[in-house]
Amino acid sequence: MTASGRPSGPEVIWARPERAGRGPRPAHTRAEIAAAAVRVADAEGLDGVSMRRVAAETGCGTMSLYNYVPRKEDLYELMVDAVVAEYEFPDAPTGDWRADLKALCRQTRGIMHRHPWVPRLMSPVYGFSPNALRYFEYALWAMEGLDVDNGTKVELLAMLNGVITAYVSNELSTAERARTSPYSPEQEQAARTAYIMRVLAGGAYPRMARTLTEGPGEIDLDEVFARAVDRILDGFEAEARRGS
């Protein structure tokens, strides 16, 4: 500790005792503070989360909040851990590693849609909180039937989460544009379609014209998401077969 009482180096919030061994019970818990911060972020976005705002939400003074959460980065870590608690794990994996990972991916996408600020905080830095460790332990358990080394399994999880984060970020961005536009999504799409058809009719982009003309039409985002996950799993499954 420094002379000012601050730690001399960075601390992991989970290594810091939530309550001293002696003395009165704290007025608030980390779970309460995390829940308050999540409420603010869900309602106002991540930029709405400040120590002052969360202190007001929990009913304590801003300076008092620092006694529980020394840094804003710690607050973010508490928030991420709080939403990761929403994963529902069965008592044991099914034995079908692909099916179990796909079920986890669907849950990840659902969590990010319920809490649109989560993609901004996706980072390995927050990967070792209590609930994140539960997630990793279950995911590694589910992958016991995948015949690759543990490092490759970690790469698979990282790739899946990276793709889900990018995919959901695009979904959320599209939804936000639709929400803030004075026109309906159908009007916006009609205007853009008319524009691109005029451009392509000039013949300067024949490959684009052919691609759009032969395209699948209306896109089912759930099906596209499922195919993206399947293609990643296909690649790692093929690696396992080559190594066997």
Side-chain angles (χ1 to χ4, degrees), residues 27-29 32-33 36 51-69:
H28 305 283
T29 66
E32 292 169 347
I33 293 167
M51 299 298 275
R52 182 185 299 276
R53 180 71 180 82
V54 174
E57 185 75 15
T58 56
C60 72
T62 303
M63 297 310 297
S64 297
L65 185 62
Y66 282 99
N67 293 325
Y68 299 93
V69 187

PDB file of all heavy atoms in Angstrom, residues 27-29 32-33 36 51-69:
ATOM      1  N   ALA A  27     -22.993  -1.858   4.197  1.00  0.00           N
ATOM      2  CA  ALA A  27     -24.374  -1.510   3.863  1.00  0.00           C
ATOM      3  C   ALA A  27     -24.803  -2.071   2.514  1.00  0.00           C
ATOM      4  O   ALA A  27     -26.001  -2.253   2.263  1.00  0.00           O
ATOM      5  CB  ALA A  27     -24.533   0.011   3.869  1.00  0.00           C
ATOM      6  N   HIS A  28     -23.828  -2.345   1.639  1.00  0.00           N
ATOM      7  CA  HIS A  28     -24.149  -2.843   0.300  1.00  0.00           C
ATOM      8  C   HIS A  28     -23.240  -4.014  -0.040  1.00  0.00           C
ATOM      9  O   HIS A  28     -22.163  -4.177   0.523  1.00  0.00           O
ATOM     10  CB  HIS A  28     -23.966  -1.732  -0.740  1.00  0.00           C
ATOM     11  CG  HIS A  28     -24.757  -0.497  -0.440  1.00  0.00           C
ATOM     12  ND1 HIS A  28     -26.107  -0.408  -0.665  1.00  0.00           N
ATOM     13  CD2 HIS A  28     -24.375   0.696   0.101  1.00  0.00           C
ATOM     14  CE1 HIS A  28     -26.537   0.787  -0.300  1.00  0.00           C
ATOM     15  NE2 HIS A  28     -25.507   1.471   0.169  1.00  0.00           N
ATOM     16  N   THR A  29     -23.692  -4.830  -0.975  1.00  0.00           N
ATOM     17  CA  THR A  29     -22.889  -5.957  -1.454  1.00  0.00           C
ATOM     18  C   THR A  29     -22.446  -5.689  -2.880  1.00  0.00           C
ATOM     19  O   THR A  29     -23.021  -4.840  -3.578  1.00  0.00           O
ATOM     20  CB  THR A  29     -23.687  -7.273  -1.430  1.00  0.00           C
ATOM     21  OG1 THR A  29     -24.753  -7.180  -2.389  1.00  0.00           O
ATOM     22  CG2 THR A  29     -24.257  -7.538  -0.046  1.00  0.00           C
ATOM     23  N   GLU A  32     -25.319  -6.251  -5.245  1.00  0.00           N
ATOM     24  CA  GLU A  32     -26.260  -5.130  -5.330  1.00  0.00           C
ATOM     25  C   GLU A  32     -25.703  -4.015  -6.212  1.00  0.00           C
ATOM     26  O   GLU A  32     -26.428  -3.422  -7.016  1.00  0.00           O
ATOM     27  CB  GLU A  32     -26.557  -4.585  -3.934  1.00  0.00           C
ATOM     28  CG  GLU A  32     -27.344  -5.545  -3.051  1.00  0.00           C
ATOM     29  CD  GLU A  32     -27.393  -5.094  -1.598  1.00  0.00           C
ATOM     30  OE1 GLU A  32     -26.623  -4.168  -1.223  1.00  0.00           O
ATOM     31  OE2 GLU A  32     -28.182  -5.671  -0.843  1.00  0.00           O
ATOM     32  N   ILE A  33     -24.419  -3.741  -6.053  1.00  0.00           N
ATOM     33  CA  ILE A  33     -23.787  -2.685  -6.855  1.00  0.00           C
ATOM     34  C   ILE A  33     -23.767  -3.086  -8.322  1.00  0.00           C
ATOM     35  O   ILE A  33     -24.067  -2.286  -9.210  1.00  0.00           O
ATOM     36  CB  ILE A  33     -22.370  -2.416  -6.328  1.00  0.00           C
ATOM     37  CG1 ILE A  33     -22.441  -1.799  -4.919  1.00  0.00           C
ATOM     38  CG2 ILE A  33     -21.599  -1.501  -7.279  1.00  0.00           C
ATOM     39  CD1 ILE A  33     -21.123  -1.776  -4.185  1.00  0.00           C
ATOM     40  N   ALA A  36     -27.206  -2.773  -9.825  1.00  0.00           N
ATOM     41  CA  ALA A  36     -27.548  -1.369 -10.078  1.00  0.00           C
ATOM     42  C   ALA A  36     -26.866  -0.864 -11.340  1.00  0.00           C
ATOM     43  O   ALA A  36     -27.477  -0.177 -12.166  1.00  0.00           O
ATOM     44  CB  ALA A  36     -27.144  -0.517  -8.878  1.00  0.00           C
ATOM     45  N   MET A  51     -19.559   6.256 -11.701  1.00  0.00           N
ATOM     46  CA  MET A  51     -19.555   5.962 -10.271  1.00  0.00           C
ATOM     47  C   MET A  51     -20.641   6.784  -9.561  1.00  0.00           C
ATOM     48  O   MET A  51     -21.341   6.279  -8.681  1.00  0.00           O
ATOM     49  CB  MET A  51     -18.177   6.244  -9.680  1.00  0.00           C
ATOM     50  CG  MET A  51     -17.059   5.404 -10.284  1.00  0.00           C
ATOM     51  SD  MET A  51     -17.246   3.621 -10.022  1.00  0.00           S
ATOM     52  CE  MET A  51     -16.514   3.435  -8.390  1.00  0.00           C
ATOM     53  N   ARG A  52     -20.788   8.028  -9.973  1.00  0.00           N
ATOM     54  CA  ARG A  52     -21.811   8.883  -9.361  1.00  0.00           C
ATOM     55  C   ARG A  52     -23.214   8.337  -9.629  1.00  0.00           C
ATOM     56  O   ARG A  52     -24.053   8.273  -8.740  1.00  0.00           O
ATOM     57  CB  ARG A  52     -21.683  10.310  -9.898  1.00  0.00           C
ATOM     58  CG  ARG A  52     -22.677  11.301  -9.300  1.00  0.00           C
ATOM     59  CD  ARG A  52     -22.556  12.655  -9.972  1.00  0.00           C
ATOM     60  NE  ARG A  52     -21.232  13.224  -9.789  1.00  0.00           N
ATOM     61  CZ  ARG A  52     -20.853  13.913  -8.721  1.00  0.00           C
ATOM     62  NH1 ARG A  52     -21.712  14.132  -7.734  1.00  0.00           N
ATOM     63  NH2 ARG A  52     -19.627  14.397  -8.636  1.00  0.00           N
ATOM     64  N   ARG A  53     -23.458   7.911 -10.884  1.00  0.00           N
ATOM     65  CA  ARG A  53     -24.785   7.422 -11.259  1.00  0.00           C
ATOM     66  C   ARG A  53     -25.107   6.125 -10.539  1.00  0.00           C
ATOM     67  O   ARG A  53     -26.238   5.929 -10.057  1.00  0.00           O
ATOM     68  CB  ARG A  53     -24.832   7.216 -12.773  1.00  0.00           C
ATOM     69  CG  ARG A  53     -26.159   6.717 -13.301  1.00  0.00           C
ATOM     70  CD  ARG A  53     -27.225   7.794 -13.238  1.00  0.00           C
ATOM     71  NE  ARG A  53     -28.490   7.308 -13.755  1.00  0.00           N
ATOM     72  CZ  ARG A  53     -29.366   6.581 -13.039  1.00  0.00           C
ATOM     73  NH1 ARG A  53     -29.099   6.272 -11.780  1.00  0.00           N
ATOM     74  NH2 ARG A  53     -30.488   6.191 -13.581  1.00  0.00           N
ATOM     75  N   VAL A  54     -24.142   5.227 -10.439  1.00  0.00           N
ATOM     76  CA  VAL A  54     -24.366   3.948  -9.763  1.00  0.00           C
ATOM     77  C   VAL A  54     -24.530   4.170  -8.261  1.00  0.00           C
ATOM     78  O   VAL A  54     -25.350   3.505  -7.610  1.00  0.00           O
ATOM     79  CB  VAL A  54     -23.223   2.971 -10.065  1.00  0.00           C
ATOM     80  CG1 VAL A  54     -23.359   1.690  -9.246  1.00  0.00           C
ATOM     81  CG2 VAL A  54     -23.199   2.636 -11.559  1.00  0.00           C
ATOM     82  N   ALA A  55     -23.773   5.105  -7.707  1.00  0.00           N
ATOM     83  CA  ALA A  55     -23.930   5.417  -6.285  1.00  0.00           C
ATOM     84  C   ALA A  55     -25.344   5.906  -6.000  1.00  0.00           C
ATOM     85  O   ALA A  55     -25.979   5.500  -5.019  1.00  0.00           O
ATOM     86  CB  ALA A  55     -22.907   6.469  -5.864  1.00  0.00           C
ATOM     87  N   ALA A  56     -25.859   6.758  -6.870  1.00  0.00           N
ATOM     88  CA  ALA A  56     -27.224   7.262  -6.688  1.00  0.00           C
ATOM     89  C   ALA A  56     -28.230   6.122  -6.800  1.00  0.00           C
ATOM     90  O   ALA A  56     -29.213   6.075  -6.046  1.00  0.00           O
ATOM     91  CB  ALA A  56     -27.518   8.342  -7.720  1.00  0.00           C
ATOM     92  N   GLU A  57     -27.986   5.200  -7.717  1.00  0.00           N
ATOM     93  CA  GLU A  57     -28.902   4.071  -7.923  1.00  0.00           C
ATOM     94  C   GLU A  57     -28.932   3.156  -6.703  1.00  0.00           C
ATOM     95  O   GLU A  57     -29.968   2.572  -6.373  1.00  0.00           O
ATOM     96  CB  GLU A  57     -28.472   3.287  -9.165  1.00  0.00           C
ATOM     97  CG  GLU A  57     -29.388   2.160  -9.563  1.00  0.00           C
ATOM     98  CD  GLU A  57     -30.675   2.634 -10.227  1.00  0.00           C
ATOM     99  OE1 GLU A  57     -30.756   3.808 -10.633  1.00  0.00           O
ATOM    100  OE2 GLU A  57     -31.604   1.806 -10.332  1.00  0.00           O
ATOM    101  N   THR A  58     -27.785   3.022  -6.032  1.00  0.00           N
ATOM    102  CA  THR A  58     -27.712   2.154  -4.852  1.00  0.00           C
ATOM    103  C   THR A  58     -28.030   2.891  -3.560  1.00  0.00           C
ATOM    104  O   THR A  58     -28.179   2.253  -2.517  1.00  0.00           O
ATOM    105  CB  THR A  58     -26.310   1.534  -4.728  1.00  0.00           C
ATOM    106  OG1 THR A  58     -25.325   2.582  -4.691  1.00  0.00           O
ATOM    107  CG2 THR A  58     -26.015   0.607  -5.882  1.00  0.00           C
ATOM    108  N   GLY A  59     -28.103   4.218  -3.629  1.00  0.00           N
ATOM    109  CA  GLY A  59     -28.444   4.984  -2.443  1.00  0.00           C
ATOM    110  C   GLY A  59     -27.285   5.226  -1.507  1.00  0.00           C
ATOM    111  O   GLY A  59     -27.471   5.347  -0.290  1.00  0.00           O
ATOM    112  N   CYS A  60     -26.075   5.288  -2.067  1.00  0.00           N
ATOM    113  CA  CYS A  60     -24.925   5.618  -1.226  1.00  0.00           C
ATOM    114  C   CYS A  60     -24.158   6.771  -1.856  1.00  0.00           C
ATOM    115  O   CYS A  60     -24.405   7.144  -3.005  1.00  0.00           O
ATOM    116  CB  CYS A  60     -24.013   4.408  -1.038  1.00  0.00           C
ATOM    117  SG  CYS A  60     -23.049   3.936  -2.490  1.00  0.00           S
ATOM    118  N   GLY A  61     -23.252   7.370  -1.105  1.00  0.00           N
ATOM    119  CA  GLY A  61     -22.458   8.462  -1.629  1.00  0.00           C
ATOM    120  C   GLY A  61     -21.423   7.964  -2.618  1.00  0.00           C
ATOM    121  O   GLY A  61     -20.986   6.812  -2.546  1.00  0.00           O
ATOM    122  N   THR A  62     -21.024   8.862  -3.535  1.00  0.00           N
ATOM    123  CA  THR A  62     -20.056   8.456  -4.548  1.00  0.00           C
ATOM    124  C   THR A  62     -18.756   7.990  -3.912  1.00  0.00           C
ATOM    125  O   THR A  62     -18.195   6.957  -4.297  1.00  0.00           O
ATOM    126  CB  THR A  62     -19.785   9.625  -5.513  1.00  0.00           C
ATOM    127  OG1 THR A  62     -21.010  10.051  -6.099  1.00  0.00           O
ATOM    128  CG2 THR A  62     -18.827   9.196  -6.610  1.00  0.00           C
ATOM    129  N   MET A  63     -18.258   8.732  -2.943  1.00  0.00           N
ATOM    130  CA  MET A  63     -17.002   8.350  -2.306  1.00  0.00           C
ATOM    131  C   MET A  63     -17.147   7.043  -1.539  1.00  0.00           C
ATOM    132  O   MET A  63     -16.204   6.247  -1.471  1.00  0.00           O
ATOM    133  CB  MET A  63     -16.503   9.464  -1.389  1.00  0.00           C
ATOM    134  CG  MET A  63     -16.172  10.761  -2.116  1.00  0.00           C
ATOM    135  SD  MET A  63     -15.088  10.513  -3.563  1.00  0.00           S
ATOM    136  CE  MET A  63     -13.616   9.866  -2.766  1.00  0.00           C
ATOM    137  N   SER A  64     -18.326   6.799  -0.995  1.00  0.00           N
ATOM    138  CA  SER A  64     -18.548   5.535  -0.291  1.00  0.00           C
ATOM    139  C   SER A  64     -18.477   4.359  -1.251  1.00  0.00           C
ATOM    140  O   SER A  64     -18.024   3.265  -0.894  1.00  0.00           O
ATOM    141  CB  SER A  64     -19.911   5.552   0.407  1.00  0.00           C
ATOM    142  OG  SER A  64     -19.961   6.553   1.395  1.00  0.00           O
ATOM    143  N   LEU A  65     -18.933   4.578  -2.492  1.00  0.00           N
ATOM    144  CA  LEU A  65     -18.908   3.493  -3.473  1.00  0.00           C
ATOM    145  C   LEU A  65     -17.488   3.019  -3.733  1.00  0.00           C
ATOM    146  O   LEU A  65     -17.259   1.823  -3.982  1.00  0.00           O
ATOM    147  CB  LEU A  65     -19.566   3.961  -4.776  1.00  0.00           C
ATOM    148  CG  LEU A  65     -19.735   2.902  -5.865  1.00  0.00           C
ATOM    149  CD1 LEU A  65     -20.653   1.771  -5.394  1.00  0.00           C
ATOM    150  CD2 LEU A  65     -20.291   3.527  -7.144  1.00  0.00           C
ATOM    151  N   TYR A  66     -16.530   3.943  -3.689  1.00  0.00           N
ATOM    152  CA  TYR A  66     -15.138   3.562  -3.929  1.00  0.00           C
ATOM    153  C   TYR A  66     -14.612   2.610  -2.852  1.00  0.00           C
ATOM    154  O   TYR A  66     -13.614   1.916  -3.077  1.00  0.00           O
ATOM    155  CB  TYR A  66     -14.256   4.800  -4.008  1.00  0.00           C
ATOM    156  CG  TYR A  66     -14.355   5.531  -5.327  1.00  0.00           C
ATOM    157  CD1 TYR A  66     -15.159   6.663  -5.465  1.00  0.00           C
ATOM    158  CD2 TYR A  66     -13.656   5.083  -6.443  1.00  0.00           C
ATOM    159  CE1 TYR A  66     -15.255   7.339  -6.675  1.00  0.00           C
ATOM    160  CE2 TYR A  66     -13.747   5.742  -7.655  1.00  0.00           C
ATOM    161  CZ  TYR A  66     -14.551   6.864  -7.763  1.00  0.00           C
ATOM    162  OH  TYR A  66     -14.644   7.519  -8.968  1.00  0.00           O
ATOM    163  N   ASN A  67     -15.241   2.576  -1.704  1.00  0.00           N
ATOM    164  CA  ASN A  67     -14.832   1.617  -0.677  1.00  0.00           C
ATOM    165  C   ASN A  67     -15.169   0.186  -1.093  1.00  0.00           C
ATOM    166  O   ASN A  67     -14.521  -0.771  -0.657  1.00  0.00           O
ATOM    167  CB  ASN A  67     -15.526   1.926   0.659  1.00  0.00           C
ATOM    168  CG  ASN A  67     -15.054   3.243   1.252  1.00  0.00           C
ATOM    169  OD1 ASN A  67     -13.894   3.611   1.115  1.00  0.00           O
ATOM    170  ND2 ASN A  67     -15.954   3.950   1.919  1.00  0.00           N
ATOM    171  N   TYR A  68     -16.189   0.049  -1.940  1.00  0.00           N
ATOM    172  CA  TYR A  68     -16.594  -1.267  -2.433  1.00  0.00           C
ATOM    173  C   TYR A  68     -15.929  -1.598  -3.770  1.00  0.00           C
ATOM    174  O   TYR A  68     -15.564  -2.743  -4.029  1.00  0.00           O
ATOM    175  CB  TYR A  68     -18.115  -1.311  -2.631  1.00  0.00           C
ATOM    176  CG  TYR A  68     -18.924  -1.073  -1.389  1.00  0.00           C
ATOM    177  CD1 TYR A  68     -19.373   0.206  -1.058  1.00  0.00           C
ATOM    178  CD2 TYR A  68     -19.258  -2.124  -0.533  1.00  0.00           C
ATOM    179  CE1 TYR A  68     -20.127   0.433   0.066  1.00  0.00           C
ATOM    180  CE2 TYR A  68     -20.019  -1.907   0.598  1.00  0.00           C
ATOM    181  CZ  TYR A  68     -20.450  -0.623   0.904  1.00  0.00           C
ATOM    182  OH  TYR A  68     -21.203  -0.404   2.032  1.00  0.00           O
ATOM    183  N   VAL A  69     -15.836  -0.580  -4.633  1.00  0.00           N
ATOM    184  CA  VAL A  69     -15.329  -0.760  -5.994  1.00  0.00           C
ATOM    185  C   VAL A  69     -14.268   0.310  -6.236  1.00  0.00           C
ATOM    186  O   VAL A  69     -14.594   1.459  -6.534  1.00  0.00           O
ATOM    187  CB  VAL A  69     -16.460  -0.637  -7.031  1.00  0.00           C
ATOM    188  CG1 VAL A  69     -15.947  -0.998  -8.420  1.00  0.00           C
ATOM    189  CG2 VAL A  69     -17.644  -1.514  -6.658  1.00  0.00           C
TER     190      VAL A  69
END
